[in-house]
Amino acid sequence: MSSTSKRVCVGMSGGVDSSVAAYLMKQQGFDVIGVTFRNWPQDCLSRAEDKCCGPQAVTDARMVAHKIGIPHYVADEIGAFQRDVIDYFVAEYQQGRTPNPCVICNNKIKFGSMWEKARSLGADCVATGHYARIVAGEGGRFELRRGGDPVKDQSYFLFGLTQAQLAHAYMPVGELTKEQTRAIARELGLKTHDKVESQEICFVPGQDYGRFLREGAHLPDRPGEIVTEDGKVIGEHQGIQYFTIGQREGLRLGGQKEPLYVVALDPTTDRVVAGPRASLMRDSFEVANCNWLASAPPFECMVKIRYNHRGCPAAVSLLADGNYRVTLPEPQRAITPGQAAVFYRDDLVLGGGWIVTAQQTAALRCGAPAD
């Protein structure tokens, strides 16, 4: 089927990337419809004028759509966003895990609800402004690959997409650098060309997770003890939901011989376990609820344990319970339950899963130096 016969829904967040994505799809001959999701109520604590899908973002997306000559619609996804993204976010913190809502939002909203909306508008596919690439592979399967800009690559957040989602999706800025994208927008005279890029979770302004959990999610405090690795009580806290693995600030511990960090969170006892930096090092961990886009393990690869992680070598193997063991030749710092582990071979995304445990090496327990 030629592009001229295809209608595509472009998810327009009001930013420069999705603006240029919509323009490029039109240039390729697609029948383009711009769609912006409204994801939270007007009186939500976290509403901010410049946030993705906030009031100003809707206005910006509408103006861009008018400029490039495509229709634009606003769709209400408040209920789905609350259920699939915010409720998940809150529940993970309650369980002592550190969530990654952007992965869930991509799976459920940007490539889930958006695809449903696209079909209701008679579209064959969806397009977004993600910096990643979708490539047709062998046997009718589709591959997810890193974006052309190594600094802006967003493939980490997309490991959960299904083959059906990849088959009906385009990422037209995936080959570009951020500066090239801005240059196109500037040449077109789009008001989003110099829009400041948010580095925050869209519904948590200022990255103040604690305030959002208290006031936005109305999550009550759960006071408990701060203990050392051998169980000695050294302080108190207001709730494990305010902590993450590797955190140092906020412990408010005085009189310690060396800096202490959060090395574990126990939701059953509401205890925060603190230890020295060396105790954050791990040489293996498990992942669950995996999605394999290429071949399934066992294999050797590179793994990213958080978005800003540079990646490291790993060996992945299947366990009897269906989870996977990830073994690291070089121990890594602060491997955090709740975060995504995404596996790569060169620029190909093999798949990924959710970190559920992290095992500490005996050598590092004995105080081997951390990097």
Side-chain angles (χ1 to χ4, degrees):
M1 183 181 294
S2 68
S3 63
T4 55
S5 64
K6 278 192 175 183
R7 174 173 291 177
V8 59
C9 264
V10 180
M12 300 184 70
S13 66
V16 64
D17 303 322
S18 57
S19 298
V20 172
Y23 167 75
L24 292 176
M25 295 305 290
K26 185 179 180 182
Q27 288 298 103
Q28 293 173 30
F30 286 84
D31 177 13
V32 179
I33 299 173
V35 176
T36 302
F37 281 164
R38 184 172 63 247
N39 288 335
W40 51 76
Q42 293 290 315
D43 60 351
C44 179
L45 162 80
S46 58
R47 182 176 65 82
E49 292 299 312
D50 61 346
K51 291 292 183 181
C52 167
C53 305
Q56 186 58 51
V58 172
T59 299
D60 291 345
R62 182 179 294 117
M63 293 181 67
V64 168
H66 177 75
K67 179 76 173 181
I68 64 178
I70 63 171
H72 177 259
Y73 298 93
V74 178
D76 188 342
E77 285 295 313
I78 295 172
F81 192 81
Q82 177 70 47
R83 179 187 67 247
D84 294 330
V85 180
I86 296 180
D87 289 352
Y88 144 81
F89 178 85
V90 173
E92 286 291 278
Y93 271 113
Q94 286 181 296
Q95 293 301 313
R97 296 186 288 265
T98 302
N100 194 316
C102 295
V103 173
I104 301 300
C105 183
N106 282 320
N107 296 349
K108 300 285 190 178
I109 306 298
K110 294 181 180 177
F111 292 91
S113 298
M114 182 62 73
W115 173 231
E116 295 175 5
K117 183 64 176 177
R119 286 184 292 181
S120 74
L121 293 171
D124 304 292
C125 48
V126 300
T128 68
H130 284 98
Y131 286 89
R133 296 177 294 136
I134 300 172
V135 179
E138 298 179 356
R141 292 183 65 82
F142 288 85
E143 299 173 347
L144 177 65
R145 293 183 175 269
R146 296 181 193 265
D149 186 340
V151 176
K152 297 305 300 179
D153 169 51
Q154 294 172 304
S155 59
Y156 173 89
F157 298 112
L158 301 169
F159 80 88
L161 299 185
T162 65
Q163 281 293 313
Q165 289 171 322
L166 292 174
H168 295 92
Y170 292 89
M171 299 175 188
V173 303
E175 299 278 0
L176 305 178
T177 65
K178 185 74 175 192
E179 286 309 307
Q180 288 173 325
T181 300
R182 288 195 184 278
I184 293 172
R186 190 178 302 113
E187 184 177 346
L188 293 171
L190 303 183
K191 69 165 296 183
T192 57
H193 75 87
D194 61 351
K195 192 169 184 177
V196 176
E197 189 170 24
S198 174
Q199 301 296 320
E200 305 168 357
I201 293 174
C202 67
F203 57 90
V204 182
Q207 300 189 61
D208 192 343
Y209 307 120
R211 179 172 178 245
F212 176 82
L213 293 172
R214 284 190 304 269
E215 301 178 27
H218 306 292
L219 193 64
D221 286 348
R222 287 164 49 185
E225 299 171 332
I226 302 174
V227 301
T228 61
E229 293 175 281
D230 59 6
K232 179 183 177 182
V233 178
I234 55 175
E236 297 179 345
H237 64 83
Q238 294 303 306
I240 62 170
Q241 65 266 31
Y242 305 131
F243 296 90
T244 188
I245 303 301
Q247 180 176 334
R248 181 182 175 188
E249 295 181 0
L251 286 174
R252 297 184 177 88
L253 300 174
Q256 303 300 319
K257 294 181 179 179
E258 61 179 320
L260 295 180
Y261 302 80
V262 176
V263 299
L265 298 168
D266 187 347
T268 61
T269 63
D270 289 322
R271 279 185 158 188
V272 173
V273 182
R277 183 180 173 87
S279 293
L280 291 170
M281 302 300 290
R282 304 286 188 270
D283 68 354
S284 68
F285 60 95
E286 292 182 24
V287 289
N289 300 319
C290 294
N291 182 51
W292 301 114
L293 293 170
S295 58
F299 52 59
E300 294 185 352
C301 62
M302 295 290 289
V303 62
K304 290 184 66 172
I305 58 173
R306 64 183 68 88
Y307 173 59
N308 289 322
H309 186 233
R310 65 184 179 182
C312 65
V316 187
S317 57
L318 178 64
L319 297 173
D321 62 2
N323 288 351
Y324 291 83
R325 167 74 67 194
V326 182
T327 303
L328 308 172
E330 301 176 5
Q332 299 295 304
R333 181 181 183 274
I335 299 174
T336 306
Q339 287 289 288
V342 182
F343 306 99
Y344 294 84
R345 182 171 294 125
D346 297 323
D347 68 347
L348 176 66
V349 179
L350 302 174
W354 299 97
I355 299 171
V356 290
T357 62
Q359 301 300 322
Q360 188 171 27
T361 64
L364 289 168
R365 278 190 187 279
C366 296
D371 64 2

